[in-house]
Amino acid sequence: MMMVIVPIHQSYSAPTTTAEDTLLKDVTGSELQKIIDSYKGEKAVLVNIWATWCAPCVKEFPEIVKLQRNYPDDLKVIFVSADFPQQRDEALNFLKKQKVDWTTYFKTGKDQPFIESLSQEWTGALPFTKVIDMNGDLVASWEQSASYEKFEHHVKTAINP
Amino acid sequence: MKKQYLLSIVPIVLGVCLLAFLPSQEALLEELPIGSQAPMTDVEVKDVSGKMLTLKDVAKENGLLVNFSCNTCPWVAAWEDRYNPIAKLAKENGIGVVALNPNAAIRDDGESLQDMKQRAEKSNYQFYYALDEGAKMAEAFGATRTPHIYLFNSDMELVYRGAIDDNAKSAKDVEQPYLKNAIKNLAAGNEIDPKTTKSLGCTIKWPS
């Protein structure tokens, strides 16, 4: 009689990547900068730092989603949630409710290096938005919420630098 | 004459042209620079006790600590366990303490003087908590978020600005107690380092 030995690793299910992992990925400030840089020469980039507890962020969020839908070929919107770790599920639920179907990010690490990696001028108030043109140059950055028209104005400049 | 006129307007025209190509950094308020005099020190603000105060009244022999704070910000809630210990440390070191609430746009939504009074009672605030009506103080300080810290010396010159420490979420995991160190160094006459720090926080709800 032959014995079949099944290697242990075959019966072990490795953790799989879920859709939720893809929708909201951990990111540090330096990793975020690399992600932004990866679009250089291809697309304009709009980075928006938000949180579920931030009323002005929640208010402007649908406008930014709309902007991404209206400029799918020329613009990459990069959302970064600055929620506390225990609010990660709330952030995920919010993204799903807003029908966001591309990868977004969840801030990890200390505040100061994260803030400074994005902008020397940003004081840390949320929301924060930064628009970068196709050449990787800064077009505009601001704290406080904005209207669709304001986002679009800067995005148009970023697309046609 | 004509040449002189042209010479005088050329730099202006060049400047305007250059500005048009600079990145726009709208609504990024300029925070009060280190070394600046405390603004609006004679302006009266109403404390939750009903008492009228000025920053000059609150300041003690070694200085003044101003914290722009509010009732509705999770970031304030996260740091709040450090509010009273810091106020105690400041008072022990001859520094007066006041928290100012600048959220003028949402006074009817959790940021009224009555709401502030309830918050101060619930959290047993051991320092003044006063209404920054119309967010005029926040504007003069260039404050942008809550909490946002400003520490002044005995001459009412700004010596530290920014965050309470480097870990809002957990007091026990703080590695850099920026404000505590600044208070101790100010009282001891030592150099304050760092003089400015940054942290995330809730944007101030400015009046429209």
Side-chain angles (χ1 to χ4, degrees), chain A residues 51-147:
Chain A
T52 55
W53 48 260
C54 164
C57 306
V58 169
K59 189 181 164 202
E60 70 175 5
F61 200 96
E63 305 300 322
I64 307 172
V65 173
K66 194 166 115 188
L67 197 71
Q68 178 65 91
R69 303 265 181 247
N70 289 346
Y71 294 89
D73 299 330
D74 298 322
L75 173 69
K76 181 67 190 176
V77 167
I78 300 176
F79 283 121
V80 184
S81 160
D83 280 287
F84 291 132
Q86 64 267 31
Q87 289 158 330
R88 195 187 177 105
D89 286 345
E90 277 177 57
L92 256 175
N93 289 337
F94 181 82
L95 290 165
K96 286 177 195 166
K97 207 173 152 190
Q98 296 290 329
K99 298 190 169 40
V100 174
D101 53 8
W102 64 93
T103 297
T104 75
Y105 298 91
F106 194 82
K107 174 205 162 265
T108 59
K110 300 226 179 253
D111 287 0
Q112 180 136 345
F114 179 80
I115 292 167
E116 288 179 345
S117 70
L118 263 182
S119 167
Q120 288 299 315
E121 282 74 31
W122 179 26
T123 69
L126 294 183
F128 175 73
T129 299
K130 181 176 174 178
V131 180
I132 301 139
D133 70 19
M134 295 225 184
N135 302 325
D137 294 326
L138 178 70
V139 170
S141 64
W142 65 90
E143 293 174 353
Q144 304 271 335
S145 60
S147 63

Side-chain angles (χ1 to χ4, degrees), chain A residues 49 51 53-56 82-87 107 109-112 114-116 119-128 138-144 150 153-154, chain B residues 22-29 31 72-75 78-79 142 144-145 148 163 166-169 173-176 178 196-206:
Chain A
I49 315 297
W53 48 260
C54 164
D83 280 287
F84 291 132
Q86 64 267 31
Q87 289 158 330
K107 174 205 162 265
K110 300 226 179 253
D111 287 0
Q112 180 136 345
F114 179 80
I115 292 167
E116 288 179 345
S119 167
Q120 288 299 315
E121 282 74 31
W122 179 26
T123 69
L126 294 183
F128 175 73
L138 178 70
V139 170
S141 64
W142 65 90
E143 293 174 353
Q144 304 271 335
K150 180 172 173 177
H153 166 75
H154 292 305
Chain B
L22 283 177
S24 150
Q25 285 163 2
E26 304 150 56
L28 294 181
L29 276 181
E31 299 167 280
T72 56
C73 172
W75 231 265
W79 255 306
T144 61
R145 62 189 186 275
H148 201 160
D166 68 347
N167 198 326
K169 288 149 248 175
D173 295 320
V174 168
E175 290 171 9
Q176 298 291 334
Y178 304 124
T196 62
T197 56
K198 289 182 178 180
S199 63
L200 295 180
C202 302
T203 190
I204 287 174
K205 312 302 183 292
W206 301 99

Side-chain angles (χ1 to χ4, degrees), chain B residues 1-8:
Chain B
M1 181 73 180
K2 195 176 174 186
K3 195 178 168 190
Q4 271 183 333
Y5 171 74
L6 278 173
L7 280 174
S8 66

Side-chain angles (χ1 to χ4, degrees), chain B residues 132-200:
Chain B
D132 177 13
E133 216 167 341
K136 296 273 190 253
M137 292 268 192
E139 194 181 353
F141 279 70
T144 61
R145 62 189 186 275
T146 55
H148 201 160
I149 298 292
Y150 291 80
L151 179 66
F152 298 90
N153 65 15
S154 55
D155 294 325
M156 294 294 261
E157 294 163 344
L158 186 66
V159 293
Y160 174 76
R161 184 194 73 216
I164 291 170
D165 56 48
D166 68 347
N167 198 326
K169 288 149 248 175
S170 170
K172 69 176 173 51
D173 295 320
V174 168
E175 290 171 9
Q176 298 291 334
Y178 304 124
L179 180 55
K180 280 185 179 172
N181 288 347
I183 289 169
K184 288 177 194 165
N185 284 326
L186 172 60
N190 296 333
E191 178 78 10
I192 293 172
D193 182 27
K195 293 179 175 61
T196 62
T197 56
K198 289 182 178 180
S199 63
L200 295 180

